[in-house]
Amino acid sequence: RAGGSRRTRVALDVEQIVDAAMAIADREGPAAMTMRKIAAELGVGVMSLYWYVPTKRDLEALVLERLMIESAPPDEPTGDWRRDLASIAYASRANILRHAWMVDFFSSASFMSMEMVGHGFLRHIENSIRMTESLPFDFLTKMTIVSVLDDFTRGATTEEIVDRRRWDAAGMTREEFQERLTPRMVELFSQSSYPLVELFMAHDDEIADPEVQFEMGLQLILDGVAHRIAMHEAGKGAAS
């Protein structure tokens, strides 16, 4: 229009909107995923977003869908049960660390209500179950193994993120935080006898590395599965 200005029309789709929402959450946290900020990120008017995403609830469902797809294990198992089960944990941990705000998003009161469940959630479950195909167990046992892996991964990775936030809030690295804590622990040890805690602190550098600790915990779980397989095979041999 002569003498006026018009916003350049930008071709949009749902994937672009979800990309923008997650980029904002990566920088500022999930609470910052507002329609106004997403519109600014994409260089469009706020109202144009509502053609694709009618409500904030719809946006959250789409973001959850993307998170579930990104954290799903591979579509096909390798046939190596140990490698396949580990892929469930590795995929989930990598995505939580990539989007640390998932910890807050998943703990919100509205998370995982029925309307939030979509194909991404189903794909995540489907692929996880596929990773158990080579195990010689009944379906319930396989699902329990998947659940244990999921619970361990979320718990260990959430703790890692919480620790990082604690260090960031104190303006310290992990190493600096430990150095600051050491004199206090030495003082406590001088006043009482906790030999096992002292042993723990002596190995703190080895224990404190979250990646090493995660890998050790995962391998212990897989060792337990290996023991269960051995018991299963021994039972078959005894019965034949």
Side-chain angles (χ1 to χ4, degrees):
R1 201 160 24 177
S5 63
R6 297 180 63 182
R7 184 186 293 271
T8 302
R9 182 176 291 276
V10 177
L12 278 180
D13 60 39
V14 170
E15 292 302 306
Q16 287 176 293
I17 294 171
V18 175
D19 286 344
M22 292 183 67
I24 291 166
D26 286 341
R27 292 195 307 264
E28 305 175 47
M33 290 191 298
T34 65
M35 292 299 197
R36 188 173 299 280
K37 285 195 173 185
I38 294 169
E41 184 91 359
L42 293 170
V44 300
V46 175
M47 296 308 297
S48 63
L49 299 181
Y50 290 101
W51 285 101
Y52 304 89
V53 185
T55 68
K56 177 70 179 295
R57 190 74 173 151
D58 293 316
L59 174 66
E60 290 175 346
L62 289 167
V63 168
L64 173 61
E65 183 92 342
R66 174 73 67 80
L67 292 171
M68 289 293 99
I69 291 171
E70 286 186 358
S71 61
D75 289 338
E76 297 296 335
T78 66
D80 177 339
W81 69 262
R82 198 170 186 113
R83 180 177 172 186
D84 291 335
L85 292 183
S87 73
I88 298 173
Y90 291 144
S92 181
R93 180 174 187 267
N95 204 42
I96 296 172
L97 291 178
R98 185 162 53 245
H99 306 298
W101 50 272
M102 287 173 66
V103 171
D104 308 299
F105 190 63
F106 284 10
S107 63
S108 64
S110 60
F111 172 68
M112 284 305 298
S113 59
M114 290 306 296
E115 67 268 25
M116 294 283 276
V117 175
H119 290 288
F121 180 73
L122 299 180
R123 177 179 170 184
H124 184 97
I125 296 175
E126 180 81 8
N127 285 14
S128 295
I129 296 172
R130 281 180 181 167
M131 296 303 110
T132 70
E133 283 182 354
S134 61
L135 295 175
F137 303 135
D138 60 73
F139 189 75
L140 179 59
T141 301
K142 291 179 178 182
M143 284 302 302
T144 301
I145 292 169
V146 170
S147 179
V148 168
L149 286 168
D150 279 342
D151 290 346
F152 164 72
T153 302
R154 281 196 302 269
T157 312
T158 296
E159 183 67 23
E160 182 176 347
I161 289 169
V162 169
D163 282 344
R164 288 182 182 183
R165 290 177 177 177
R166 187 179 297 121
W167 303 326
D168 288 344
M172 302 179 191
T173 64
R174 174 170 64 87
E175 292 74 20
E176 290 169 340
F177 187 86
Q178 287 176 287
E179 287 176 11
R180 182 75 64 87
L181 183 63
T182 298
R184 174 59 177 160
M185 298 304 293
V186 170
E187 180 186 353
L188 287 171
F189 291 150
S190 69
Q191 298 170 356
S192 53
S193 178
Y194 294 101
L196 295 179
V197 179
E198 288 193 63
L199 183 62
F200 171 85
M201 292 300 296
H203 292 273
D204 194 42
D205 285 342
E206 305 162 46
I207 298 169
D209 186 318
E211 189 170 351
V212 171
Q213 194 170 21
F214 179 84
E215 186 63 28
M216 182 179 291
L218 174 59
Q219 294 307 320
L220 286 171
I221 292 172
L222 298 180
D223 287 348
V225 176
H227 178 68
R228 189 76 176 233
I229 292 173
M231 290 176 60
H232 178 84
E233 296 301 326
K236 282 174 56 180
S240 60

